[in-house]
Amino acid sequence: MSVSMQCTLAKEVTASGIGLHSGKNVEMKIMPAPVDTGIVFCRSDLAHKPSARVTPQVVEISPLCTKVLSGEVDISTVEHLMAAFYGAGVDNAIVEVSASELPVFDGSSAAFLMLIDSVGVQKQSKPKRVIKVMKEVIVEDGDKIAMLKPDDHFSLTLELDFKHPVIPHQKCKFDGRPSYFRKELARARTFAMQRDVEKMQSMGLALGGGLDNAIVVGDFSVLNAEGLRHKDEFIRHKALDCIGDLFMVGHPILGAFVGSYTGHAMNNKLLCALMADENNYRFVEIPDTNDIYSSDAF
Ligand SMILES: [Zn+2]
């Protein structure tokens, strides 16, 4: 049986868009990279173009997003692109950005995925390395819990409770296959409470944030004229975020993720805990099919 090989983009692709924090235009270029490069972020606007490879250790959590912070490299809102890399099967790429944040596009992974699909991905000469969870790893903080358990398939079980009339308490299990992500999760947008957006903007934050790139939730209704893309779009976006956060480890994960009221900070703590002990995981090669990431039982 043939094994799944590492992949990169078939050629480079460029795009520009508004940055969530600055509200200013940001240029982005995603380029092919050799085997075992991983995902590397680079600041094209700084002298000598400093770069950093994504690992759980370079992740910094800000109130609004996940950022890559290593030396001079400081790039915010990377999680939706990381989820798109996972969904497209990309293991190796260099991402050049002309500012300290990625374009936010529509607040989901859809535009990133479309960009990658527009040039296609190319199989490379070494097998893909997948992290198989061998022991249960759990991190807790009050009632927040994030956990990875051994399983033959990648799945995400999530529970959220914002205690808000517009966002219901929900618990869902999602298939973790790239094919499922592409079809069911990639278009789910980020969301924010209207009162929080107003507060942040008065502090000079989230200046690019608005109805074009987030679901904005008022006290009693969603304010976007077009409504929701899925009736459970909020928890689907949380699943998208978890997929992006987990891919910061640089490899797909084979195991069951369980998160209650979890977010970027807890997900990063979980990855650090997973990788802190070599008995928790091992690298495996997988058959050349997406189906190994999940079961047909969903
Ligand atoms: Zn998000």
Side-chain angles (χ1 to χ4, degrees):
M1 188 164 47
S2 62
V3 297
S4 194
M5 304 302 278
Q6 292 182 31
C7 288
T8 188
L9 281 80
K11 53 183 182 173
E12 71 179 41
V13 62
T14 57
S16 63
I18 298 296
L20 180 64
H21 293 282
S22 66
K24 291 185 181 149
N25 203 48
V26 181
E27 305 279 340
M28 176 183 73
K29 188 196 287 186
I30 311 176
M31 295 177 285
V35 289
D36 297 334
T37 301
I39 306 297
V40 171
F41 281 92
C42 169
R43 284 285 299 270
S44 59
D45 57 320
L46 301 180
H48 313 300
K49 292 191 177 181
S51 62
R53 179 183 178 152
V54 173
T55 66
Q57 287 72 37
V58 304
V59 173
E60 175 88 4
I61 307 300
S62 83
L64 290 177
C65 64
T66 301
K67 59 157 82 174
V68 168
L69 185 63
S70 173
E72 289 178 84
V73 181
D74 176 352
I75 301 175
S76 296
T77 329
V78 298
E79 60 272 25
H80 302 164
L81 173 58
M82 292 304 291
F85 280 140
Y86 170 78
V90 171
D91 303 281
N92 305 304
I94 297 166
V95 185
E96 277 191 7
V97 199
S98 68
S100 62
E101 58 185 332
L102 288 185
V104 63
F105 296 128
D106 70 348
S108 77
S109 292
F112 293 112
L113 207 45
M114 195 184 70
L115 286 168
I116 298 165
D117 287 348
S118 74
V119 292
V121 297
Q122 184 142 38
K123 280 190 187 177
Q124 296 177 285
S125 58
K126 284 179 82 172
K128 199 182 274 285
R129 298 177 80 212
V130 172
I131 291 178
K132 184 169 172 53
V133 179
M134 303 303 291
K135 276 171 67 177
E136 185 173 296
V137 179
I138 182 164
V139 293
E140 293 177 79
D141 178 9
D143 61 350
K144 297 179 195 164
I145 298 171
M147 190 186 334
L148 275 166
K149 296 192 284 191
D151 201 346
D152 291 337
H153 315 290
F154 178 42
S155 63
L156 303 117
T157 303
L158 292 173
E159 183 171 12
L160 59 80
D161 188 3
F162 283 85
K163 300 192 169 32
H164 190 288
V166 182
I167 306 176
H169 171 263
Q170 270 190 303
K171 189 169 183 179
C172 290
K173 185 173 183 183
F174 295 102
D175 183 333
R177 267 179 297 189
S179 57
Y180 183 89
F181 167 79
R182 296 173 69 95
K183 202 160 147 250
E184 300 292 343
L185 304 177
R187 292 182 69 249
R189 292 162 297 172
T190 192
F191 52 95
M193 313 300 165
Q194 182 186 23
R195 53 176 179 260
D196 294 340
V197 175
E198 287 164 358
K199 204 188 301 172
M200 285 187 287
Q201 291 185 336
S202 72
M203 293 159 63
L205 295 167
L207 296 176
L211 295 166
D212 290 338
N213 49 41
I215 306 166
V216 182
V217 183
D219 288 341
F220 303 105
S221 64
V222 167
L223 302 185
N224 305 62
E226 74 281 11
L228 297 176
R229 292 176 175 177
H230 306 271
K231 69 177 191 318
D232 56 354
E233 190 170 355
F234 303 110
I235 197 162
R236 285 182 194 232
H237 185 79
K238 280 284 174 190
L240 179 162
D241 276 341
C242 286
I243 285 173
D245 286 343
L246 293 178
F247 198 49
M248 303 294 281
V249 77
H251 305 269
I253 288 179
L254 207 51
F257 172 85
V258 180
S260 290
Y261 322 121
T262 181
H264 300 304
M266 290 292 286
N267 295 343
N268 183 247
K269 262 193 209 165
L270 179 65
L271 280 189
C272 292
L274 173 74
M275 302 310 286
D277 182 345
E278 285 180 2
N279 295 316
N280 289 340
Y281 66 93
R282 72 183 154 89
F283 284 103
V284 295
E285 294 172 5
I286 54 167
D288 189 14
T289 161
N290 278 338
D291 290 344
I292 190 70
Y293 293 117
S294 193
S295 72
D296 294 321
F298 286 92

